[in-house]
Amino acid sequence: MDLDKALILGIESSCDDTAASILEINPNGSHIKSSIIRNQFNLHQEYGGVVPEIAARAHVELIDVVVEEALKIANVSIQDVNAIGVTAGPGLIGGVMSGVMFAKGLSASTNKPLIGVNHLAGHALTPRLTDRVNFPYLVLLVSGGHCQFLIVHSHHNYERIGGTIDDAPGEAFDKTARLLGLLQPGGPSIEEAAKTGDEHRFDLPRPLLNREGCDFSFSGLKTALMRKRNDLIEEQGGLFKQDICDLSASFQQAMHDVIVKKSIRAIDLYCEITNENPVFSIAGGVAANKKIRQSLENICKTKKVTFSAPPLALCTDNAAIIAYAAAERFLNDDYDDMTLSARPRWPLDNKKSAILGSGKKGPKA
Amino acid sequence: MKKIVISNGPLETKKLATLFKANLQKGDVVLLKGEIGAGKSHFARSLIQSAMYIKEEVPSPTFTLVQVYDTTIGSIWHADLYRLNDYSDVIELGLIDAFGEEIVLLEWPERLGYLEPKDSLTIEIIILEGDRREIIFSTTSSEWKPRLDKILKDQ
């Protein structure tokens, strides 16, 4: 890059939220000038009427609005932007496609370079955006739809050393909350209910806890919790408030124990592979859970590992992290062309998983 | 037509799913019913993994709604309608375009409403005690009968 600074527009529409951000990169680091996120709730408020949560149409209707707003709040025009980064997968196909089509159109009409970003790379690179962490480092990515340990060797080289073989933790939190009649999203509801609960009352399984390696399984935990709940309902004819709190606390504790123990193992494995202590980072919505976050911080202290936990707003889905991942490629003059296509499935570590028929074009990043 | 199989645990369900896969063909729509934790995803995952060229993960589609896999028996769409409100959302998702064209494994098909294909096969999983499950195959389409008979004979 021959410029003193560059502005990257990031666009994200791979799940329920539609987001846009303007990121400034300069030799001293990165600066988020704006980051706009709209979900269905805002949409209802502003436009009235019912919009299907999942609809690609909702994204189509919102993308230009959020991009305009991101530009306005950053106080720049589209002409000032140096490149357009967009989530090209993985995610909900309709949503990803809306974002990619919009970005292509914008790129063609403004002559700005187009960069397709892997949504997971956005999360995995966040420690570089916030703490300027050097490669390589270790990331635990835990969210509604994902759960994996990654060694980030560079912005286009990710080594997956473990992950879930069934449900993601965020999903397990949501489904558990539903089973207990708590509000969605499940993460915050379970955490709140667990505060006054007894985590020792119910003995829930810690799936794969003692198995070698860094893989997770959460499906059985959810089923075990359901059984305890059903037993209680059968015995008492329903659930008392304390039962819900105790079940929440026991569930959170099981989740916590598994994530913490596997993190210790991942750190050890990282040391074996690279012969050095990692910087350990966490990303994704589950990073919001205070109990889990605190324990991860503690194990890092014990193991003399630097812990980098991005602020919560950057842990959940947003477009600033997409702009940043695009910036890493922009700095290497690595662009996409108009053949960029949406990829609903797009594993970051493509050495481990074969990518079969999930898009004609392989990942450039 | 209705056939009932008892599975004594996840491993037996996995074997059944693998047998079932061998009799699937393009255009089949399989509806997976059962409460949370019954093992719908386990059945779908076992089936898809047994048909993969190279074994890779089959994550739950609850968040992404639809995951598409290219397999030895053709393209399999694994969908989960749990988060949808009703059939209008199904139309938005483009799922009905796959009906009759690809192999579709659908969890929480109750949200389909009138969009439910007439010639689909329903697999309902009922939780018995512990890990045991009652697996009920049912369909109104005569087209499935010889295939189901074969699966249950091999089982």
Side-chain angles (χ1 to χ4, degrees), chain B residues 59-79:
Chain B
S60 160
T62 302
F63 263 77
T64 48
L65 305 173
V66 185
Q67 312 258 23
V68 181
Y69 300 89
D70 273 352
T71 71
T72 53
I73 54 169
S75 181
I76 302 180
W77 287 45
H78 183 199

Side-chain angles (χ1 to χ4, degrees), chain A residues 255-264 292 295-296 299:
Chain A
M255 201 59 130
H256 162 275
D257 291 356
V258 173
I259 292 176
V260 169
K261 177 135 185 211
K262 295 286 175 174
S263 296
I264 294 174
I292 294 174
S295 293
L296 291 178
I299 57 165

Side-chain angles (χ1 to χ4, degrees), chain A residues 88-116:
Chain A
L92 189 55
I93 181 70
V96 178
M97 219 184 268
S98 317
V100 168
M101 295 312 278
F102 178 86
K104 276 186 182 179
L106 194 61
S107 162
S109 60
T110 56
N111 237 342
K112 307 284 181 189
L114 174 71
I115 299 170

Side-chain angles (χ1 to χ4, degrees), chain A residues 321-353:
Chain A
I321 61 171
I322 302 305
Y324 181 76
E328 294 251 15
R329 283 184 54 192
F330 175 76
L331 294 174
N332 290 287
D333 295 321
D334 177 13
Y335 310 133
D336 282 300
D337 57 27
M338 286 296 152
T339 60
L340 176 71
S341 57
R343 302 179 63 183
R345 291 196 310 125
W346 186 0
L348 262 187
D349 181 352
N350 46 37
K351 294 180 290 299
K352 292 249 163 68
S353 314

Side-chain angles (χ1 to χ4, degrees), chain B residues 28-93:
Chain B
D28 284 344
V29 178
V30 178
L31 311 178
L32 289 160
K33 293 186 180 173
E35 61 177 311
I36 287 185
K40 301 180 293 296
S41 291
H42 174 66
F43 187 92
R45 180 176 299 120
S46 305
L47 191 159
I48 295 166
Q49 284 184 331
S50 74
M52 278 177 160
Y53 293 99
I54 299 163
K55 191 176 165 183
E56 56 175 293
E57 276 157 44
V58 176
S60 160
T62 302
F63 263 77
T64 48
L65 305 173
V66 185
Q67 312 258 23
V68 181
Y69 300 89
D70 273 352
T71 71
T72 53
I73 54 169
S75 181
I76 302 180
W77 287 45
H78 183 199
D80 184 338
L81 306 186
Y82 187 69
R83 296 200 304 137
L84 304 193
N85 296 315
D86 59 31
Y87 66 88
S88 63
D89 287 351
V90 179
I91 298 174
E92 294 278 357
L93 196 56

Side-chain angles (χ1 to χ4, degrees), chain A residues 261-277:
Chain A
K261 177 135 185 211
K262 295 286 175 174
S263 296
I264 294 174
R265 228 176 254 170
I267 290 170
D268 291 343
L269 188 61
Y270 180 100
C271 296
E272 266 172 48
I273 294 173
T274 63
N275 257 328
E276 57 183 55
N277 268 358

